[in-house]
Amino acid sequence: MKKLAKIAAFAMAALMAVSAAGCSSTRTVADIQKDGKLIMATNAEFEPFEYKDGGEIVGIDIDLSQKIADAIGVELEVSDLAFDSLISALQSGKADIVAAGMTADAERRESVDFSEPYFNASQAIIVSVDSDITGPEDLADKTVGVQLGTTGDQYCTNEDGESEYTVGGVTRYSKGMEAVSDLMTGRIDAVVIDNFPAQKFVENNPDAIKVLDTALTEEEYAIAVPKGSTDLLEQVNAVIQELKDSGELDQIISQYISAE
Ligand code: ARG
């Protein structure tokens, strides 16, 4: 019977090891290769970085992630989620990377690891063409729309009290487009969102809205991976470096952003 007990103990230990591995949220590059796909989570409401064109999700971040999947030798699977659930998707193992025009900031660095930056951005202010708002100082008694969980949300909500300008009130939307619609119907006075999506919204509605000249922040976009995913992060950084050196990153970007 001693032998049986030993086998039982061994089986128990094996089972625990398997379930522990199953719970682990970090997949190594080898795990991803075994699975045959890289799962990239994003929020496809952010033209030109990720947006829907017909039924398809396209954009700079999709092309960039495709390059990473190619380098690893697997398929790319794009998972379209709410922006404010992207970090937890990484933490729970539902995604391997997040590419979502995500700003690498100190708060997020506590929960995820970021690649080298691949794009410089800022927070822009959109107002209606006939607005009396001419700069950030005019927002003090105005209602501003933001996308939930973004750096624009953080800036306007100003929980840490560090924002240079304060706003009268904040309305949060799950999609930037919903904020822009409310701006155009006069429900809110301004929208604070990243400069390139802001530019796209204006291009699509040039008679109704405009972007102000003053930027509120300077930010850098980077790809996020689960904390401690060292080999995946190295792989992602190697691809970004290669794309920068070869000029391919600029090529990808110029397909979506016209240089004016
Ligand atoms: N850069 C901003 C941030 O990191 C906004 C990103 C929004 N991205 C998106 N795919 N909706 O908070």
Side-chain angles (χ1 to χ4, degrees):
M1 279 310 109
K2 226 177 163 190
K3 201 174 169 194
L4 240 187
K6 242 189 199 166
I7 293 171
F10 181 78
M12 211 35 196
L15 202 73
M16 278 161 66
V18 166
S19 59
C23 287
S24 159
S25 55
T26 26
R27 301 208 297 173
T28 62
V29 171
D31 293 332
I32 293 166
Q33 283 166 335
K34 231 175 276 163
D35 184 36
K37 60 180 189 213
L38 176 75
I39 305 170
M40 173 270 215
T42 193
N43 167 250
E45 301 292 339
F46 203 64
E47 189 179 354
F49 291 90
E50 43 270 332
Y51 58 105
K52 290 168 202 120
D53 188 11
E56 214 191 335
I57 298 176
V58 297
I60 295 167
D61 286 329
I62 316 301
D63 292 357
L64 183 52
S65 300
Q66 184 63 56
K67 295 282 180 191
I68 296 166
D70 291 348
I72 299 177
V74 294
E75 298 280 298
L76 177 70
E77 182 178 305
V78 177
S79 171
D80 184 21
L81 306 174
F83 185 77
D84 67 331
S85 69
L86 291 175
I87 299 250
S88 68
L90 276 186
Q91 290 177 314
S92 64
K94 287 203 189 91
D96 301 307
I97 64 171
V98 163
M102 184 176 273
T103 302
D105 70 5
E107 198 183 323
R108 292 172 182 157
R109 271 182 207 284
E110 289 174 15
S111 334
V112 296
D113 287 340
F114 279 108
S115 71
E116 292 302 316
Y118 62 89
F119 199 85
N120 294 326
S122 61
Q123 290 302 309
I125 303 166
I126 312 177
V127 296
S128 61
V129 277
D130 54 8
S131 173
D132 56 359
I133 300 170
T134 59
E137 56 288 338
D138 295 334
L139 295 176
D141 57 352
K142 302 284 200 255
T143 303
V144 177
V146 296
Q147 188 185 15
L148 181 69
T150 60
T151 44
D153 182 3
Q154 286 166 27
Y155 188 95
C156 293
T157 308
N158 194 19
E159 248 170 41
D160 55 13
E162 275 171 20
S163 302
E164 190 183 348
Y165 298 99
T166 51
V167 309
V170 182
T171 306
R172 298 194 183 86
Y173 299 84
S174 62
K175 302 174 181 181
M177 185 59 223
E178 293 168 353
V180 171
S181 301
D182 269 8
L183 174 64
M184 292 195 293
T185 54
R187 282 205 197 87
I188 55 175
D189 304 305
V191 172
V192 167
I193 196 163
D194 300 48
N195 54 336
F196 281 96
Q199 210 57 63
K200 289 289 176 189
F201 284 129
V202 170
E203 273 172 31
N204 296 333
N205 307 281
D207 300 332
I209 53 175
K210 63 182 180 188
V211 181
L212 299 183
D213 291 333
T214 315
L216 291 171
T217 59
E218 296 301 325
E219 306 180 6
E220 287 179 331
Y221 295 167
I223 291 183
V225 300
K227 247 204 173 330
S229 301
T230 326
D231 71 335
L232 179 58
L233 188 60
E234 271 170 22
Q235 180 70 257
V236 169
N237 277 334
V239 171
I240 291 176
Q241 194 55 53
E242 155 89 41
L243 293 177
K244 282 182 181 170
D245 293 345
S246 66
E248 263 186 283
L249 182 60
D250 287 338
Q251 267 174 35
I252 291 174
I253 291 169
S254 67
Q255 280 168 29
Y256 296 92
I257 299 174
S258 49
E260 263 150 38

mmCIF file of all heavy atoms in Angstrom, residues 42-46 50 83 100-103 108 123 147 149-152 194 219 221, ligand 1:
data_model
loop_
_atom_site.group_PDB
_atom_site.id
_atom_site.type_symbol
_atom_site.label_atom_id
_atom_site.label_comp_id
_atom_site.label_asym_id
_atom_site.label_seq_id
_atom_site.Cartn_x
_atom_site.Cartn_y
_atom_site.Cartn_z
ATOM 1 N N THR A 42 -6.774 44.873 -27.980
ATOM 2 C CA THR A 42 -6.806 46.276 -28.315
ATOM 3 C C THR A 42 -8.220 46.802 -28.118
ATOM 4 O O THR A 42 -9.107 46.075 -27.657
ATOM 5 C CB THR A 42 -6.325 46.497 -29.772
ATOM 6 O OG1 THR A 42 -6.072 47.884 -29.979
ATOM 7 C CG2 THR A 42 -7.346 45.990 -30.788
ATOM 8 N N ASN A 43 -8.422 48.077 -28.443
ATOM 9 C CA ASN A 43 -9.760 48.661 -28.398
ATOM 10 C C ASN A 43 -9.909 49.417 -29.714
ATOM 11 O O ASN A 43 -9.349 50.493 -29.891
ATOM 12 C CB ASN A 43 -9.890 49.604 -27.195
ATOM 13 C CG ASN A 43 -11.134 50.463 -27.261
ATOM 14 O OD1 ASN A 43 -11.061 51.674 -27.464
ATOM 15 N ND2 ASN A 43 -12.284 49.859 -27.115
ATOM 16 N N ALA A 44 -10.644 48.814 -30.647
ATOM 17 C CA ALA A 44 -10.650 49.290 -32.035
ATOM 18 C C ALA A 44 -11.581 50.486 -32.241
ATOM 19 O O ALA A 44 -12.480 50.473 -33.079
ATOM 20 C CB ALA A 44 -11.011 48.146 -32.967
ATOM 21 N N GLU A 45 -11.329 51.517 -31.454
ATOM 22 C CA GLU A 45 -12.118 52.758 -31.517
ATOM 23 C C GLU A 45 -11.154 53.926 -31.604
ATOM 24 O O GLU A 45 -11.391 54.977 -31.021
ATOM 25 C CB GLU A 45 -12.972 52.904 -30.241
ATOM 26 C CG GLU A 45 -13.935 51.780 -29.988
ATOM 27 C CD GLU A 45 -15.067 51.720 -31.015
ATOM 28 O OE1 GLU A 45 -15.323 52.752 -31.671
ATOM 29 O OE2 GLU A 45 -15.667 50.649 -31.172
ATOM 30 N N PHE A 46 -10.056 53.744 -32.288
ATOM 31 C CA PHE A 46 -8.951 54.677 -32.133
ATOM 32 C C PHE A 46 -8.193 54.844 -33.448
ATOM 33 O O PHE A 46 -7.017 54.536 -33.557
ATOM 34 C CB PHE A 46 -8.030 54.125 -31.030
ATOM 35 C CG PHE A 46 -7.155 55.121 -30.325
ATOM 36 C CD1 PHE A 46 -7.706 56.136 -29.555
ATOM 37 C CD2 PHE A 46 -5.768 55.011 -30.390
ATOM 38 C CE1 PHE A 46 -6.887 57.028 -28.872
ATOM 39 C CE2 PHE A 46 -4.943 55.901 -29.715
ATOM 40 C CZ PHE A 46 -5.507 56.915 -28.955
ATOM 41 N N GLU A 50 -6.126 51.756 -34.353
ATOM 42 C CA GLU A 50 -6.959 50.544 -34.491
ATOM 43 C C GLU A 50 -8.398 50.979 -34.661
ATOM 44 O O GLU A 50 -8.912 51.753 -33.861
ATOM 45 C CB GLU A 50 -6.838 49.589 -33.287
ATOM 46 C CG GLU A 50 -6.859 50.263 -31.925
ATOM 47 C CD GLU A 50 -5.472 50.635 -31.472
ATOM 48 O OE1 GLU A 50 -4.529 49.952 -31.882
ATOM 49 O OE2 GLU A 50 -5.323 51.603 -30.717
ATOM 50 N N PHE A 83 -11.381 49.638 -23.620
ATOM 51 C CA PHE A 83 -10.028 50.115 -23.320
ATOM 52 C C PHE A 83 -9.660 49.888 -21.857
ATOM 53 O O PHE A 83 -8.546 49.467 -21.545
ATOM 54 C CB PHE A 83 -9.858 51.601 -23.680
ATOM 55 C CG PHE A 83 -8.439 52.058 -23.482
ATOM 56 C CD1 PHE A 83 -7.463 51.737 -24.408
ATOM 57 C CD2 PHE A 83 -8.075 52.771 -22.350
ATOM 58 C CE1 PHE A 83 -6.129 52.111 -24.214
ATOM 59 C CE2 PHE A 83 -6.753 53.150 -22.148
ATOM 60 C CZ PHE A 83 -5.783 52.829 -23.077
ATOM 61 N N ALA A 100 -2.483 49.306 -28.310
ATOM 62 C CA ALA A 100 -3.730 50.072 -28.326
ATOM 63 C C ALA A 100 -3.463 51.567 -28.232
ATOM 64 O O ALA A 100 -4.204 52.289 -27.577
ATOM 65 C CB ALA A 100 -4.625 49.620 -27.169
ATOM 66 N N GLY A 101 -2.391 52.020 -28.870
ATOM 67 C CA GLY A 101 -2.026 53.424 -28.699
ATOM 68 C C GLY A 101 -1.894 53.713 -27.218
ATOM 69 O O GLY A 101 -2.237 54.790 -26.749
ATOM 70 N N MET A 102 -1.435 52.708 -26.485
ATOM 71 C CA MET A 102 -1.406 52.838 -25.024
ATOM 72 C C MET A 102 -0.174 53.611 -24.572
ATOM 73 O O MET A 102 0.950 53.279 -24.940
ATOM 74 C CB MET A 102 -1.462 51.470 -24.350
ATOM 75 C CG MET A 102 -1.523 51.583 -22.832
ATOM 76 S SD MET A 102 -1.708 49.988 -22.021
ATOM 77 C CE MET A 102 -3.487 49.815 -22.040
ATOM 78 N N THR A 103 -0.412 54.622 -23.792
ATOM 79 C CA THR A 103 0.669 55.437 -23.254
ATOM 80 C C THR A 103 1.363 54.683 -22.133
ATOM 81 O O THR A 103 0.698 54.167 -21.229
ATOM 82 C CB THR A 103 0.088 56.756 -22.713
ATOM 83 O OG1 THR A 103 -0.604 57.415 -23.785
ATOM 84 C CG2 THR A 103 1.181 57.652 -22.158
ATOM 85 N N ARG A 108 0.548 52.580 -14.934
ATOM 86 C CA ARG A 108 0.383 51.290 -15.619
ATOM 87 C C ARG A 108 1.620 50.403 -15.460
ATOM 88 O O ARG A 108 1.513 49.177 -15.448
ATOM 89 C CB ARG A 108 0.086 51.518 -17.098
ATOM 90 C CG ARG A 108 -1.283 52.141 -17.311
ATOM 91 C CD ARG A 108 -1.499 52.542 -18.750
ATOM 92 N NE ARG A 108 -2.800 53.193 -18.920
ATOM 93 C CZ ARG A 108 -3.096 54.023 -19.900
ATOM 94 N NH1 ARG A 108 -2.189 54.298 -20.824
ATOM 95 N NH2 ARG A 108 -4.285 54.569 -19.975
ATOM 96 N N GLN A 123 -2.161 64.843 -25.748
ATOM 97 C CA GLN A 123 -3.609 64.978 -25.581
ATOM 98 C C GLN A 123 -4.038 66.287 -26.235
ATOM 99 O O GLN A 123 -3.482 67.351 -25.945
ATOM 100 C CB GLN A 123 -3.999 64.987 -24.097
ATOM 101 C CG GLN A 123 -3.806 63.640 -23.412
ATOM 102 C CD GLN A 123 -4.594 62.524 -24.068
ATOM 103 O OE1 GLN A 123 -5.802 62.657 -24.291
ATOM 104 N NE2 GLN A 123 -3.923 61.429 -24.398
ATOM 105 N N GLN A 147 -12.483 59.377 -23.163
ATOM 106 C CA GLN A 147 -12.710 57.935 -23.200
ATOM 107 C C GLN A 147 -12.271 57.341 -21.872
ATOM 108 O O GLN A 147 -11.155 57.597 -21.390
ATOM 109 C CB GLN A 147 -11.951 57.252 -24.354
ATOM 110 C CG GLN A 147 -12.360 55.784 -24.481
ATOM 111 C CD GLN A 147 -11.568 54.987 -25.517
ATOM 112 O OE1 GLN A 147 -10.513 55.390 -25.991
ATOM 113 N NE2 GLN A 147 -12.109 53.824 -25.856
ATOM 114 N N GLY A 149 -10.860 55.572 -18.831
ATOM 115 C CA GLY A 149 -9.625 54.860 -18.517
ATOM 116 C C GLY A 149 -8.406 55.309 -19.297
ATOM 117 O O GLY A 149 -7.324 54.749 -19.133
ATOM 118 N N THR A 150 -8.556 56.335 -20.121
ATOM 119 C CA THR A 150 -7.415 56.804 -20.907
ATOM 120 C C THR A 150 -6.638 57.878 -20.142
ATOM 121 O O THR A 150 -7.097 58.392 -19.111
ATOM 122 C CB THR A 150 -7.886 57.412 -22.242
ATOM 123 O OG1 THR A 150 -8.756 58.512 -21.950
ATOM 124 C CG2 THR A 150 -8.625 56.389 -23.090
ATOM 125 N N THR A 151 -5.501 58.230 -20.696
ATOM 126 C CA THR A 151 -4.710 59.301 -20.089
ATOM 127 C C THR A 151 -5.453 60.636 -20.169
ATOM 128 O O THR A 151 -5.270 61.492 -19.305
ATOM 129 C CB THR A 151 -3.326 59.404 -20.766
ATOM 130 O OG1 THR A 151 -3.497 59.314 -22.180
ATOM 131 C CG2 THR A 151 -2.413 58.298 -20.309
ATOM 132 N N GLY A 152 -6.293 60.795 -21.203
ATOM 133 C CA GLY A 152 -7.127 61.999 -21.282
ATOM 134 C C GLY A 152 -8.103 62.053 -20.109
ATOM 135 O O GLY A 152 -8.351 63.123 -19.527
ATOM 136 N N ASP A 194 -6.321 61.751 -27.663
ATOM 137 C CA ASP A 194 -4.999 61.766 -28.297
ATOM 138 C C ASP A 194 -5.033 62.507 -29.640
ATOM 139 O O ASP A 194 -6.027 62.457 -30.355
ATOM 140 C CB ASP A 194 -4.509 60.329 -28.506
ATOM 141 C CG ASP A 194 -4.386 59.570 -27.196
ATOM 142 O OD1 ASP A 194 -5.339 59.614 -26.397
ATOM 143 O OD2 ASP A 194 -3.360 58.928 -26.977
ATOM 144 N N GLU A 219 3.206 62.308 -24.546
ATOM 145 C CA GLU A 219 3.127 60.901 -24.158
ATOM 146 C C GLU A 219 3.840 60.014 -25.171
ATOM 147 O O GLU A 219 4.065 60.441 -26.299
ATOM 148 C CB GLU A 219 1.647 60.470 -24.075
ATOM 149 C CG GLU A 219 0.853 61.385 -23.176
ATOM 150 C CD GLU A 219 -0.620 61.014 -23.061
ATOM 151 O OE1 GLU A 219 -1.027 59.978 -23.586
ATOM 152 O OE2 GLU A 219 -1.350 61.788 -22.417
ATOM 153 N N TYR A 221 3.633 56.038 -26.859
ATOM 154 C CA TYR A 221 2.927 54.765 -26.960
ATOM 155 C C TYR A 221 3.941 53.619 -26.909
ATOM 156 O O TYR A 221 5.020 53.707 -27.505
ATOM 157 C CB TYR A 221 2.182 54.649 -28.287
ATOM 158 C CG TYR A 221 1.054 55.624 -28.497
ATOM 159 C CD1 TYR A 221 0.493 55.781 -29.763
ATOM 160 C CD2 TYR A 221 0.510 56.374 -27.446
ATOM 161 C CE1 TYR A 221 -0.557 56.650 -29.996
ATOM 162 C CE2 TYR A 221 -0.546 57.247 -27.672
ATOM 163 C CZ TYR A 221 -1.066 57.391 -28.941
ATOM 164 O OH TYR A 221 -2.103 58.261 -29.175
HETATM 165 N N1 ARG B 1 -3.041 57.034 -25.223
HETATM 166 C C1 ARG B 1 -4.198 57.003 -24.394
HETATM 167 C C2 ARG B 1 -3.966 56.093 -23.213
HETATM 168 O O1 ARG B 1 -3.068 55.309 -23.217
HETATM 169 C C3 ARG B 1 -5.455 56.583 -25.124
HETATM 170 C C4 ARG B 1 -5.382 55.252 -25.794
HETATM 171 C C5 ARG B 1 -6.740 54.796 -26.300
HETATM 172 N N2 ARG B 1 -6.602 53.673 -27.144
HETATM 173 C C6 ARG B 1 -7.626 53.004 -27.728
HETATM 174 N N3 ARG B 1 -7.317 52.010 -28.485
HETATM 175 N N4 ARG B 1 -8.853 53.336 -27.494
HETATM 176 O O2 ARG B 1 -4.680 56.124 -22.252
#
